[in-house]
Amino acid sequence: MKKIFLAISKGRIMEEALALLKKNEIECNISPNDSRKLIFRTNYENLQIIIVRASDVPLYIESGKVDLGIVGKDTLLESNVDNYFFLKDLKIASCKLVVAGKKDKKLASNMKIATKYPSLTQDFFLSKGIPCSVLKLYGSMELAAVLNLSDAIVDLVDTGKTLKENGLEEICLIDNISSHLIVNKSSYKLKKNQIDKLVNRIS
Ligand code: PRT
Ligand code: MG
């Protein structure tokens, strides 16, 4: 039986993904929460779990070094990687991708948008026929809108608390987001039976 490598995004996706696997009786031999290891053996056949930064998952899958990935749809929309197949919407780490700004802000031509998703932001505004300029930031997009560094932001919203506490509001929805299970295209050809069996197991 061939080894199967599954990359899981660090942070909140990891928490929910490990819980989902556990519910289906798949567990790491050592808990990734209590260890500095990066590769974990599991109790399921030849499955090994790798914990990586969310935005690195698409590259690991593209390279084929890792067969499967659990990654946010936001990260997939932003990446330009495409040699993977979508296997399943795991419906975990759900949130919304939105344009947000100060009260009563509307979408308008030549807005300056702060975001950690420059590529999908450009695609979204282009699809609306609204030209915009994008400011790539790495943390706390909300601050950019509050300080008028940008006219609006493109960011993820879960409870809405962060927007509210900073006096911001949703302007429009771009997409509903959750974590997807994806597979490298050649891995799927080579290990189809093993992968299908694993996917069916994760219900
Ligand atoms: O370093 P990087 O931020 O890329 O990754 P990370 O290791 O910090 O991971 P983490 O934990 O931030 O997880 C990122 C992934 O979780 C995203 O790619 C999404 O697919 C998913 N996810 C789900 C979220 C949220 N919900 C979410 N609410 N990622 C981030 N947020 C942030 C949002 O950016 C905002 O700052 O939470 C804040 C809003 O939350 P509410 O509840 O106040 O609305
Ligand atoms: Mg984060």
Side-chain angles (χ1 to χ4, degrees), residues 136-160:
K136 160 108 190 188
L137 291 181
Y138 296 87
S140 299
M141 305 311 138
E142 295 85 3
L143 194 56
V146 172
L147 296 181
N148 297 319
L149 177 65
S150 68
D151 300 305
I153 62 174
V154 165
D155 197 7
L156 300 173
V157 176
D158 178 17
T159 60

Tab-separated table of all heavy atoms in Angstrom, residues 136-160:
chain	number	residue	atom	x	y	z
A	136	LYS	N	-1.582	45.557	-0.921
A	136	LYS	CA	-1.418	44.251	-0.261
A	136	LYS	C	-0.895	44.437	1.168
A	136	LYS	O	0.159	45.032	1.371
A	136	LYS	CB	-0.456	43.398	-1.078
A	136	LYS	CG	0.181	42.265	-0.330
A	136	LYS	CD	-0.346	40.913	-0.735
A	136	LYS	CE	0.168	39.866	0.252
A	136	LYS	NZ	-0.092	38.521	-0.067
A	137	LEU	N	-1.659	43.961	2.127
A	137	LEU	CA	-1.216	43.998	3.523
A	137	LEU	C	-1.120	42.568	4.040
A	137	LEU	O	-1.671	41.642	3.442
A	137	LEU	CB	-2.201	44.790	4.391
A	137	LEU	CG	-2.286	46.308	4.169
A	137	LEU	CD1	-3.296	46.908	5.123
A	137	LEU	CD2	-0.931	46.974	4.331
A	138	TYR	N	-0.476	42.392	5.178
A	138	TYR	CA	-0.269	41.048	5.723
A	138	TYR	C	-1.057	40.805	7.005
A	138	TYR	O	-1.198	39.679	7.444
A	138	TYR	CB	1.231	40.785	5.921
A	138	TYR	CG	1.955	40.796	4.598
A	138	TYR	CD1	2.430	41.974	4.040
A	138	TYR	CD2	2.093	39.621	3.863
A	138	TYR	CE1	3.061	41.981	2.799
A	138	TYR	CE2	2.715	39.610	2.627
A	138	TYR	CZ	3.201	40.799	2.104
A	138	TYR	OH	3.799	40.788	0.874
A	139	GLY	N	-1.541	41.872	7.632
A	139	GLY	CA	-2.312	41.678	8.856
A	139	GLY	C	-3.286	42.811	9.082
A	139	GLY	O	-3.127	43.891	8.511
A	140	SER	N	-4.329	42.555	9.884
A	140	SER	CA	-5.327	43.552	10.288
A	140	SER	C	-5.743	44.536	9.193
A	140	SER	O	-5.467	45.726	9.270
A	140	SER	CB	-4.837	44.350	11.499
A	140	SER	OG	-4.635	43.481	12.561
A	141	MET	N	-6.424	44.000	8.197
A	141	MET	CA	-6.943	44.842	7.101
A	141	MET	C	-7.831	45.950	7.653
A	141	MET	O	-7.846	47.071	7.147
A	141	MET	CB	-7.818	44.016	6.136
A	141	MET	CG	-7.164	42.808	5.556
A	141	MET	SD	-5.564	43.171	4.900
A	141	MET	CE	-4.678	41.751	5.462
A	142	GLU	N	-8.588	45.576	8.712
A	142	GLU	CA	-9.558	46.510	9.298
A	142	GLU	C	-8.917	47.866	9.598
A	142	GLU	O	-9.510	48.925	9.345
A	142	GLU	CB	-10.141	45.925	10.600
A	142	GLU	CG	-10.978	44.656	10.401
A	142	GLU	CD	-10.165	43.362	10.369
A	142	GLU	OE1	-8.934	43.424	10.554
A	142	GLU	OE2	-10.771	42.288	10.133
A	143	LEU	N	-7.683	47.823	10.101
A	143	LEU	CA	-6.980	49.047	10.482
A	143	LEU	C	-6.798	49.986	9.287
A	143	LEU	O	-6.880	51.214	9.421
A	143	LEU	CB	-5.616	48.661	11.077
A	143	LEU	CG	-4.852	49.721	11.845
A	143	LEU	CD1	-5.688	50.278	12.992
A	143	LEU	CD2	-3.544	49.114	12.379
A	144	ALA	N	-6.559	49.410	8.119
A	144	ALA	CA	-6.343	50.218	6.919
A	144	ALA	C	-7.584	51.051	6.604
A	144	ALA	O	-7.486	52.223	6.216
A	144	ALA	CB	-5.996	49.316	5.743
A	145	ALA	N	-8.759	50.446	6.803
A	145	ALA	CA	-10.004	51.180	6.530
A	145	ALA	C	-10.252	52.223	7.610
A	145	ALA	O	-10.661	53.352	7.314
A	145	ALA	CB	-11.175	50.205	6.443
A	146	VAL	N	-9.989	51.847	8.857
A	146	VAL	CA	-10.226	52.772	9.975
A	146	VAL	C	-9.364	54.032	9.818
A	146	VAL	O	-9.828	55.155	10.010
A	146	VAL	CB	-9.938	52.080	11.335
A	146	VAL	CG1	-9.984	53.077	12.474
A	146	VAL	CG2	-10.927	50.950	11.573
A	147	LEU	N	-8.105	53.840	9.424
A	147	LEU	CA	-7.175	54.981	9.319
A	147	LEU	C	-7.201	55.647	7.939
A	147	LEU	O	-6.373	56.506	7.652
A	147	LEU	CB	-5.750	54.527	9.645
A	147	LEU	CG	-5.519	54.018	11.072
A	147	LEU	CD1	-4.059	53.623	11.269
A	147	LEU	CD2	-5.902	55.075	12.107
A	148	ASN	N	-8.160	55.203	7.080
A	148	ASN	CA	-8.263	55.725	5.718
A	148	ASN	C	-6.999	55.516	4.884
A	148	ASN	O	-6.713	56.295	3.970
A	148	ASN	CB	-8.633	57.220	5.704
A	148	ASN	CG	-10.001	57.461	6.308
A	148	ASN	OD1	-10.946	56.695	6.068
A	148	ASN	ND2	-10.108	58.509	7.115
A	149	LEU	N	-6.241	54.494	5.227
A	149	LEU	CA	-5.122	54.093	4.369
A	149	LEU	C	-5.714	53.551	3.066
A	149	LEU	O	-5.129	53.655	1.998
A	149	LEU	CB	-4.295	53.014	5.088
A	149	LEU	CG	-3.119	52.400	4.359
A	149	LEU	CD1	-2.034	53.449	4.108
A	149	LEU	CD2	-2.514	51.244	5.168
A	150	SER	N	-6.912	52.968	3.181
A	150	SER	CA	-7.632	52.491	1.996
A	150	SER	C	-9.087	52.940	2.098
A	150	SER	O	-9.549	53.327	3.169
A	150	SER	CB	-7.562	50.967	1.922
A	150	SER	OG	-8.311	50.390	2.970
A	151	ASP	N	-9.826	52.860	0.969
A	151	ASP	CA	-11.249	53.216	0.970
A	151	ASP	C	-12.099	52.070	1.490
A	151	ASP	O	-13.202	52.275	1.987
A	151	ASP	CB	-11.712	53.540	-0.450
A	151	ASP	CG	-10.932	54.708	-1.019
A	151	ASP	OD1	-10.916	55.766	-0.377
A	151	ASP	OD2	-10.311	54.550	-2.102
A	152	ALA	N	-11.576	50.845	1.320
A	152	ALA	CA	-12.312	49.663	1.759
A	152	ALA	C	-11.325	48.521	1.904
A	152	ALA	O	-10.145	48.667	1.564
A	152	ALA	CB	-13.407	49.315	0.745
A	153	ILE	N	-11.812	47.393	2.406
A	153	ILE	CA	-10.952	46.210	2.543
A	153	ILE	C	-11.654	45.003	1.942
A	153	ILE	O	-12.877	44.989	1.831
A	153	ILE	CB	-10.615	45.909	4.033
A	153	ILE	CG1	-11.887	45.595	4.846
A	153	ILE	CG2	-9.875	47.090	4.659
A	153	ILE	CD1	-11.620	45.141	6.275
A	154	VAL	N	-10.866	44.003	1.558
A	154	VAL	CA	-11.433	42.700	1.227
A	154	VAL	C	-10.871	41.746	2.264
A	154	VAL	O	-9.656	41.595	2.379
A	154	VAL	CB	-11.078	42.269	-0.205
A	154	VAL	CG1	-11.344	40.776	-0.405
A	154	VAL	CG2	-11.890	43.076	-1.221
A	155	ASP	N	-11.759	41.145	3.060
A	155	ASP	CA	-11.302	40.291	4.162
A	155	ASP	C	-12.358	39.232	4.486
A	155	ASP	O	-13.480	39.290	3.972
A	155	ASP	CB	-11.031	41.156	5.407
A	155	ASP	CG	-10.163	40.437	6.450
A	155	ASP	OD1	-9.655	39.341	6.172
A	155	ASP	OD2	-9.997	41.004	7.552
A	156	LEU	N	-11.973	38.320	5.351
A	156	LEU	CA	-12.893	37.283	5.802
A	156	LEU	C	-13.659	37.783	7.014
A	156	LEU	O	-13.121	38.513	7.847
A	156	LEU	CB	-12.110	36.031	6.190
A	156	LEU	CG	-11.278	35.413	5.080
A	156	LEU	CD1	-10.410	34.286	5.629
A	156	LEU	CD2	-12.169	34.905	3.947
A	157	VAL	N	-14.919	37.379	7.099
A	157	VAL	CA	-15.762	37.723	8.239
A	157	VAL	C	-16.418	36.450	8.741
A	157	VAL	O	-16.948	35.672	7.943
A	157	VAL	CB	-16.864	38.721	7.826
A	157	VAL	CG1	-17.787	38.996	8.999
A	157	VAL	CG2	-16.252	40.005	7.338
A	158	ASP	N	-16.357	36.259	10.048
A	158	ASP	CA	-17.027	35.088	10.622
A	158	ASP	C	-18.214	35.580	11.448
A	158	ASP	O	-19.348	35.646	10.965
A	158	ASP	CB	-16.017	34.291	11.451
A	158	ASP	CG	-16.640	33.084	12.136
A	158	ASP	OD1	-17.746	32.686	11.730
A	158	ASP	OD2	-16.026	32.543	13.071
A	159	THR	N	-17.985	35.991	12.678
A	159	THR	CA	-19.085	36.480	13.522
A	159	THR	C	-19.453	37.932	13.196
A	159	THR	O	-20.533	38.389	13.556
A	159	THR	CB	-18.680	36.434	15.008
A	159	THR	OG1	-17.523	37.271	15.173
A	159	THR	CG2	-18.338	35.023	15.442
A	160	GLY	N	-18.536	38.670	12.569
A	160	GLY	CA	-18.774	40.084	12.287
A	160	GLY	C	-18.294	40.994	13.420
A	160	GLY	O	-18.374	42.217	13.321
